Amino acid sequence: ETGVTQTPRHLVMGMTNKKSLKCEQHLGHNAMYWYKQSAKKPLELMFVYSLEERVENNSVPSRFSPECPNSSHLFLHLHTLQPEDSALYLCASSQDYASGSYNEQYFGPGTRLTVT
Amino acid sequence: AQKVTQAQTEISVVEKEDVTLDCVYETRDTTYYLFWYKQPPSGELVFLIRRNSFDEQNEISGRYSWNFQKSTSSFNFTITASQVVDSAVYFCALSVLSGSARQLTFGSGTQLTVLP
């Protein structure tokens, strides 16, 4: 596997279900991100993990719960979602340097989530 | 706060035409990076280019070129001799330091359709 992979690619779930999205990066990066992309809206940053510690959560509802067990894996646990949570969820990774060097983020293909 | 504006929601051109996608950004930071990403129908955002705020040299890569104008806070993207495969949503993004990780602020995207 190369780059950033996400599973599943498509997910349909009811409002009472619990599911998890998985992201894995094979680039040796130390920062990972979850974004939400809804129709007609800019990408919204949900969570940032740098060196496996969460540094931003941007006021995301608690029904979304991230987990980053190591620098290569990122999960997004979902429970009691609402229909308006239907969207494309994108994972990204980058090499983060506290010294101030900026690097681009590489994205996975996304998980298309439909909440019924 | 950062802001990225892509005023062109949709652009349609005929193959072989040149097309320019506009991007205007706002930030109080003096050190920042600008990016362009391409999102084809498959969903994955593909990194195209990164520029830092201290380098205003324009860049050309094959049929792609970028014009960075700090005086007008713009970072425009031109595709020369467009092809059908260029059809995608193009996002401009701005990155500044947030904690120890980079936070990308995206524009709302421009849907480019290249007709045969």
Side-chain angles (χ1 to χ4, degrees):
Chain A
E1 294 277 17
T2 58
V4 180
T5 57
Q6 290 185 243
T7 54
R9 294 294 310 276
H10 300 272
L11 178 63
V12 179
M13 59 186 288
M15 289 190 284
T16 57
N17 291 160
K18 288 185 180 181
K19 296 286 184 183
S20 295
L21 309 185
K22 179 183 176 183
C23 175
E24 185 173 358
Q25 59 95 2
H26 309 268
L27 300 167
H29 290 163
N30 61 6
M32 296 186 77
Y33 311 78
W34 279 117
Y35 288 87
K36 176 183 178 183
Q37 187 178 28
S38 306
K40 309 293 184 187
K41 283 187 175 182
L43 274 81
E44 303 170 54
L45 177 65
M46 299 177 73
F47 300 103
V48 179
Y49 278 83
S50 179
L51 301 174
E52 298 163 42
E53 288 191 14
R54 192 161 78 193
V55 295
E56 294 283 347
N57 74 353
N58 287 309
S59 302
V60 177
S62 60
R63 56 186 184 269
F64 295 92
S65 174
E67 178 189 1
C68 187
N70 56 61
S71 60
S72 299
H73 294 86
L74 184 65
F75 295 89
L76 187 63
H77 303 300
L78 317 170
H79 65 97
T80 59
L81 294 191
Q82 305 298 312
E84 60 264 28
D85 297 322
S86 299
L88 181 67
Y89 289 84
L90 291 159
C91 174
S93 71
S94 69
Q95 186 60 29
D96 179 49
Y97 299 102
S99 61
S101 175
Y102 291 71
N103 290 289
E104 57 273 14
Q105 294 179 19
Y106 289 87
F107 285 80
T111 295
R112 175 70 62 185
L113 174 67
T114 303
V115 181
T116 60
Chain B
Q2 282 61 241
K3 186 177 178 182
V4 176
T5 302
Q6 293 180 257
Q8 303 150 309
T9 306
E10 297 181 22
I11 299 177
S12 186
V13 299
V14 177
E15 205 170 19
K16 297 184 184 175
E17 285 184 0
D18 298 346
V19 58
T20 295
L21 310 181
D22 298 333
C23 173
V24 174
Y25 62 93
E26 295 175 32
T27 179
R28 292 182 184 271
D29 287 58
T30 55
T31 302
Y32 53 88
Y33 272 76
L34 295 162
F35 304 81
W36 275 95
Y37 283 86
K38 173 182 180 181
Q39 188 177 36
S42 59
E44 181 174 349
L45 270 80
V46 178
F47 165 72
L48 296 178
I49 190 171
R50 173 189 64 177
R51 302 297 287 172
N52 75 52
S53 51
F54 299 110
D55 182 2
E56 288 192 69
Q57 251 188 334
N58 291 327
E59 184 158 337
I60 298 175
S61 176
R63 296 185 297 107
Y64 296 169
S65 62
W66 292 269
N67 183 6
F68 178 27
Q69 297 275 349
K70 211 167 179 178
S71 59
T72 56
S73 297
S74 65
F75 186 44
N76 296 336
F77 172 31
T78 298
I79 302 175
T80 304
S82 59
Q83 300 175 3
V84 173
V85 293
D86 295 328
S87 297
V89 181
Y90 290 86
F91 291 95
C92 180
L94 168 69
S95 176
V96 298
L97 179 63
S98 174
S100 63
R102 310 293 168 253
Q103 184 157 325
L104 269 180
T105 300
F106 282 87
S108 54
T110 297
Q111 170 73 60
L112 173 65
T113 302
V114 181
L115 302 169

